[in-house]
Amino acid sequence: DRCHHQYAGRLDLDDQLRLVQQGIGQSGANPDYVEGTVRHLEEMGIVEGPLHELLERLEAGERS
């Protein structure tokens, strides 16, 4: 919801990386959630560039 106060769609990739690296919730660590989402999108034939780039940076161990 772009009107929600927690909408993060305008964050640059460095900020996204920082937030994902530190996040953990009831379903687990945010990096695992990003990986699962990307893999599921790939299974459906969807390539979502920025999300894939975020996963690549997480897998490379980059720090923001």
Side-chain angles (χ1 to χ4, degrees):
D1 178 358
R2 293 179 179 175
C3 294
H4 193 276
H5 71 280
Q6 289 182 322
Y7 176 68
R10 293 180 192 91
L11 293 176
D12 66 30
L13 195 56
D14 287 332
D15 288 333
Q16 292 174 40
L17 181 64
R18 177 181 53 80
L19 292 171
V20 168
Q21 287 171 328
Q22 69 187 18
I24 189 163
Q26 291 179 345
S27 298
N30 282 355
D32 295 337
Y33 178 79
V34 170
E35 180 180 7
T37 300
V38 168
R39 300 300 176 229
H40 186 71
L41 289 171
E42 290 173 343
E43 289 171 7
M44 297 186 316
I46 299 170
V47 176
E48 207 287 332
L51 197 55
H52 278 75
E53 185 176 349
L54 178 60
L55 178 59
E56 289 172 9
R57 292 181 65 182
L58 288 165
E59 291 176 335
E62 282 190 43
R63 295 285 171 198
S64 57

